[in-house]
RNA sequence: GGCGCAUUCGUCUAGCGGCCAAGGACAUCGCCCUCUCAAGGCGGAGAUCACGGGUUCGAAUCCCGUAUGCGCCA
């Protein structure tokens, strides 16, 4: 590899950080880190119409959340000054595009066009009707003299600048690392607009000018950009610049194989964060969307990814975003976390407002972190996302839920022996010297034999009595965490309820 | 409509001419473990490698065509 790899992630601040874009960022970032190169963030904000307030902030936050740091790019949301090739906001580099356009104008590789949208529509319609491929007919290049064009510009007439595609060339080929050589006929490409009438460049121009100025060595972007690449190659040729290496990565699709979009579910990286996914898991999962190392390894730390990521292993076909597999992987990562680490990640999810999935609002915040530390082992292997925690641990913070006393009677048990069991357990627990799960369990065991019941019948009854639920973490650890008072009162009300019912 | 890319189990993929009558993982099913729920272990089912032609002693792997899907432009 060349000594200094320089790659860039070039988001438009027009919306949420789409996982497709974040995956592109990840591949670029991994490539840079693998080769010891630079990762540059450049903000492509020339489309003022589509600019969305706060979008850039979310995009940068996503990168940071997933541990992708950049060597050059924005310092904050508006300060594009980190690095020697700035500014890194395209809206602050307009003069460079203007100068570049003037160079091509002077060389005759570009020309000024005054055609109105109405005329263009008419032209296209005629072409379509004649079953010919639509494309600009070079009206302003062929029908107008240079002097005419200049005088109309001087008169202040609205105009755009078009790139003159070298139709005389037999072919233009794009060398793509992933797909090999892809060839186009220049005749089939039309003279695209590179400068709009408002003085803003189009994507094509700005992109090439910046990639060249920023000394980008590898352009890695989604496959949807492949069709515009021949135009870019032609631009590089017109400027006399060496193009970067291109690599078009497979797209991320929804379950209907169409480009992943909002109607397929969560598409923003920050949504996954809010839904309780770990950045480690998302990173690992996304890396595997279009890339793989071998036939058996699939769990990769960020460090592993950096070590192994190469373009040779990037696939060609689009990949469906399988949220189920992501969820499985997230569970795996949760189980691998240390208890203190997990506890601190869980805390904000429990402390969210109730309406957003947190504990009931009458539970005091912040939560006691020692208590949470004690509860964490009980959830660790029972949740797949951090957001699942409320469902599992809620019972430790709420009053016992109302339940039908019939729930106390387990399969194969009777009201009578269940009452006896509960009374026996209550008596034992009341006499307990210490409140330790293992000791409490040892007290219950003989009772089970004595009553000739199955362990599950007794345990199940106790579970419902102390939690109000049929499902909970392991019983005696739960009872220990619940505390003596809560356990005893649960047992008492259970006995009372059952007795009253019979 | 034009151009381009892609096509291996439902899904993510391994495979770069013989090791493949195709391997792993998710999901699914069954069994084991077990106080519930999980987690974990074991096992099953699941792909005529889109289809049709070539090339070759030999093709999932190379070439051509067709189909389908997707993308871009309009």
């Amino acid at each position: 590899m060349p000594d200094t790899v320089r790659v860039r992630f070039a988001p438009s601040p027009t919306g949420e950080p789409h996982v497709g874009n974040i995956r592109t960022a990840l591949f670029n970032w991994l490539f840079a880190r693998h080769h010891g190169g630079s990762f540059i963030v450049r903000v492509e904000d020339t489309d003022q119409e589509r600019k969305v307030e706060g979008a850039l902030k979310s995009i940068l936050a996503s990168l940071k959340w997933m541990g992708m740091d950049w060597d050059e790019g924005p310092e904050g949301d508006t300060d594009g000054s980190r690095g020697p090739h700035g500014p890194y906001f395209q809206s602050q580099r307009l003069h460079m595009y203007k100068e570049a356009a003037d160079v091509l104008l002077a060389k005759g590789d570009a020309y000024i066009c005054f055609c109105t949208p109405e005329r263009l529509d008419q032209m296209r319609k005629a072409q379509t009707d004649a079953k010919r491929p639509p494309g600009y007919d070079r009206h302003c290049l062929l029908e107008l003299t240079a002097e005419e064009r200049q005088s109309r510009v001087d008169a202040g007439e609205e105009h755009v600048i078009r790139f003159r595609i070298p139709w005389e060339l037999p072919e233009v080929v794009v060398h793509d690392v992933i797909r090999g050589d892809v060839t186009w006929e220049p005749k089939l490409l039309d003279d695209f607009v590179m400068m709009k009438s408002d003085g803003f460049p189009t994507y094509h121009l700005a992109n090439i000018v910046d990639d060249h100025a920023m000394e980008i060595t590898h352009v890695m972007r989604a496959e949807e950009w492949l069709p515009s690449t021949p135009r870019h190659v032609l631009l590089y040729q017109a400027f006399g610049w060496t193009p970067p290496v291109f690599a078009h990565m497979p797209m991320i699709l929804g379950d209907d194989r169409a480009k992943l979009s909002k109607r397929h579910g969560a598409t923003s990286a920050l949504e996954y964060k809010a839904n309780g996914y770990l950045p480690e898991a998302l990173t690992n999962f996304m890396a595997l969307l279009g890339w793989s190392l071998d036939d058996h390894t699939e769990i990769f730390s960020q460090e592993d990814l950096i070590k192994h990521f190469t373009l040779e292993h990037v696939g060609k076909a689009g990949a469906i975003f399988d949220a189920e597999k992501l969820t499985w992987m997230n569970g795996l990562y949760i189980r691998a976390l240390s208890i203190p680490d997990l506890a601190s990640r869980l805390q904000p999810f429990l402390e969210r407002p109730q309406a957003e999935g947190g504990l009931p609002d009458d539970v005091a915040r912040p939560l006691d972190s020692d208590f949470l530390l004690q509860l964490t082992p009980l959830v660790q292997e029972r949740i797949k996302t951090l957001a699942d925690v409320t469902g599992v641990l809620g019972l430790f913070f709420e009053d016992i839920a109302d339940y039908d006393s019939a729930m106390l009677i387990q399969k194969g048990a009777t009201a009578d022996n269940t009452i006896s069991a509960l009374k026996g357990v209550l008596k034992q627990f009341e006499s307990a010297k210490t409140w330790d799960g293992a000791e409490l369990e040892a007290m219950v065991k003989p009772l089970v034999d004595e009553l000739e019941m199955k362990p599950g019948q007794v345990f199940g009854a106790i579970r419902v009595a102390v939690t109000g639920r049929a499902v909970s973490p392991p019983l005696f650890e739960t009872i220990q965490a619940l505390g003596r008072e809560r356990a005893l009162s649960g047992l008492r009300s259970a006995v009372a309820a059952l007795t009253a019912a019979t």
Side-chain angles (χ1 to χ4, degrees), chain A residues 5-76:
Chain A
V5 161
R6 291 176 57 82
V7 294
R8 78 328 192 246
F9 172 54
S12 295
T14 53
E16 285 291 295
H18 189 277
V19 289
N21 295 131
I22 297 300
R23 200 277 313 253
T24 299
L26 177 64
F27 279 23
N28 274 283
W29 184 83
L30 288 173
F31 185 77
R33 294 294 170 256
H34 176 86
H35 292 290
S38 296
F39 177 65
I40 293 136
V41 173
R42 179 176 72 227
V43 183
E44 307 216 329
D45 57 349
T46 57
D47 195 339
Q48 299 293 316
E49 306 258 305
R50 298 206 304 138
K51 195 166 173 178
V52 172
E53 207 53 47
L56 178 61
K57 201 172 175 183
S58 298
I59 292 165
L60 297 179
S62 301
L63 294 182
K64 283 183 194 154
W65 178 60
M66 291 186 58
M68 292 185 249
D69 52 333
W70 55 96
D71 306 293
E72 297 174 27
E75 202 55 71

Side-chain angles (χ1 to χ4, degrees), chain A residues 112 114-116 148-149 151-160:
Chain A
I112 287 166
F114 304 95
C115 290
T116 60
E148 281 173 318
R149 286 199 292 266
S151 67
R152 284 171 70 171
V153 170
D154 292 344
E157 191 171 334
E158 272 218 339
H159 62 274
V160 300

Side-chain angles (χ1 to χ4, degrees), chain A residues 214-252:
Chain A
M214 295 178 182
E215 298 173 4
I216 300 302
T217 58
H218 296 71
V219 168
M220 298 162 60
R221 75 233 299 193
E223 189 191 342
E224 54 189 308
W225 296 107
L226 188 56
S228 54
T229 311
R231 293 167 234 272
H232 300 173
V233 169
L234 258 13
L235 271 174
Y236 278 106
Q237 285 175 8
F239 282 118
W241 298 336
T242 309
V245 174
F246 291 104
H248 288 89
M249 8 228 32
M251 304 223 303
I252 295 183

Side-chain angles (χ1 to χ4, degrees), chain A residues 26-27 29-35 66 68 279-289 291-293 297-311 313 329 333:
Chain A
L26 177 64
F27 279 23
W29 184 83
L30 288 173
F31 185 77
R33 294 294 170 256
H34 176 86
H35 292 290
M66 291 186 58
M68 292 185 249
E280 300 95 313
L282 225 211
T283 298
N284 192 153
F285 176 74
M286 294 210 302
L288 259 16
L289 246 33
W291 176 86
S292 64
L293 176 64
T297 317
E298 57 185 351
I299 301 305
F300 294 90
S301 66
Q302 191 185 65
E303 200 182 327
D304 293 336
L305 289 171
I306 291 171
K307 183 174 168 197
H308 296 295
F309 186 85
T310 62
L311 255 22
H313 290 273
M329 196 173 273
Y333 273 89

Side-chain angles (χ1 to χ4, degrees), chain A residues 414-447:
Chain A
T414 64
D416 284 346
N417 63 13
T418 301
I419 293 176
S420 309
L422 256 18
K423 279 183 173 165
V425 169
L426 183 57
K427 199 175 163 197
Q428 290 289 324
F429 283 11
E430 280 171 334
S431 70
K433 300 271 185 305
T434 57
W435 196 254
D436 172 82
E439 286 176 27
L440 296 170
E441 180 168 9
M443 293 172 144
V444 174
K445 281 275 159 68
L447 211 56

Side-chain angles (χ1 to χ4, degrees), chain A residues 49-366:
Chain A
E49 306 258 305
R50 298 206 304 138
K51 195 166 173 178
V52 172
E53 207 53 47
L56 178 61
K57 201 172 175 183
S58 298
I59 292 165
L60 297 179
S62 301
L63 294 182
K64 283 183 194 154
W65 178 60
M66 291 186 58
M68 292 185 249
D69 52 333
W70 55 96
D71 306 293
E72 297 174 27
E75 202 55 71
D77 298 347
T78 51
D79 175 9
S81 66
R82 183 191 298 179
H85 298 273
Y88 293 89
F89 285 86
Q90 288 190 328
S91 59
Q92 295 169 20
R93 324 179 109 237
L94 297 180
H95 63 283
M96 300 179 76
Y97 313 128
K98 169 88 169 61
E99 281 162 26
D102 286 342
V103 167
L104 293 192
L105 234 27
K107 288 178 63 190
D109 289 318
Y111 59 92
I112 287 166
C113 170
F114 304 95
C115 290
T116 60
E118 293 73 40
R119 194 189 100 70
L120 294 173
D121 279 346
Q122 244 173 17
M123 176 197 75
R124 267 185 226 114
K125 190 170 181 307
Q127 288 167 334
T128 314
D129 289 348
K131 300 234 158 99
R132 297 208 329 273
Y136 184 60
D137 59 5
R138 288 194 172 169
H139 177 267
C140 291
L141 178 67
L142 303 173
E143 308 297 325
L144 267 36
T145 65
E147 292 71 32
E148 281 173 318
R149 286 199 292 266
Q150 192 53 52
S151 67
R152 284 171 70 171
V153 170
D154 292 344
E157 191 171 334
E158 272 218 339
H159 62 274
V160 300
I161 301 176
R162 287 180 183 276
F163 181 68
R164 191 186 67 79
I165 297 276
W167 286 347
E168 61 279 11
L169 255 40
E171 60 175 26
V172 48
V173 7
V174 172
H175 305 286
D176 185 284
V177 194
I178 295 169
R179 283 149 222 285
D181 287 358
V182 185
T183 309
W184 280 265
E185 257 184 274
K187 276 192 206 71
L188 269 15
L189 271 23
D190 76 334
D191 294 347
F192 62 91
V193 174
M194 48 186 238
M195 264 302 192
K196 295 181 277 187
S197 56
D198 60 3
F200 277 74
T202 58
Y203 167 82
H204 304 295
L205 211 220
N207 199 260
I208 269 58
V209 168
D210 287 343
D211 282 345
H212 178 256
M214 295 178 182
E215 298 173 4
I216 300 302
T217 58
H218 296 71
V219 168
M220 298 162 60
R221 75 233 299 193
E223 189 191 342
E224 54 189 308
W225 296 107
L226 188 56
S228 54
T229 311
R231 293 167 234 272
H232 300 173
V233 169
L234 258 13
L235 271 174
Y236 278 106
Q237 285 175 8
F239 282 118
W241 298 336
T242 309
V245 174
F246 291 104
H248 288 89
M249 8 228 32
M251 304 223 303
I252 295 183
L253 315 172
D255 52 16
D256 57 356
R257 303 215 76 96
K259 191 154 99 174
L260 187 69
S261 67
K262 283 204 193 82
R263 69 191 165 81
H264 294 110
T267 54
S268 159
L270 294 181
E271 266 179 274
Y272 284 94
K273 182 185 181 192
N275 291 341
Y277 288 85
L278 309 185
E280 300 95 313
L282 225 211
T283 298
N284 192 153
F285 176 74
M286 294 210 302
L288 259 16
L289 246 33
W291 176 86
S292 64
L293 176 64
D294 53 31
D295 63 346
H296 63 279
T297 317
E298 57 185 351
I299 301 305
F300 294 90
S301 66
Q302 191 185 65
E303 200 182 327
D304 293 336
L305 289 171
I306 291 171
K307 183 174 168 197
H308 296 295
F309 186 85
T310 62
L311 255 22
E312 285 70 50
H313 290 273
V314 176
K316 298 178 208 261
I320 292 175
F321 191 94
D322 182 1
E324 266 186 3
K325 187 157 183 175
L326 201 213
T327 302
W328 161 78
M329 196 173 273
N330 202 57
L332 209 64
Y333 273 89
I334 286 177
R335 275 170 256 135
L337 254 27
S338 71
I339 296 301
D341 190 356
L342 213 210
S344 66
R345 300 204 205 203
L346 252 18
Q347 191 153 359
F349 282 86
L350 288 165
E351 291 176 350
R352 288 178 297 179
Q354 183 172 10
E356 288 168 29
L359 291 171
D361 294 329
D362 55 17
V363 176
R365 272 83 162 167

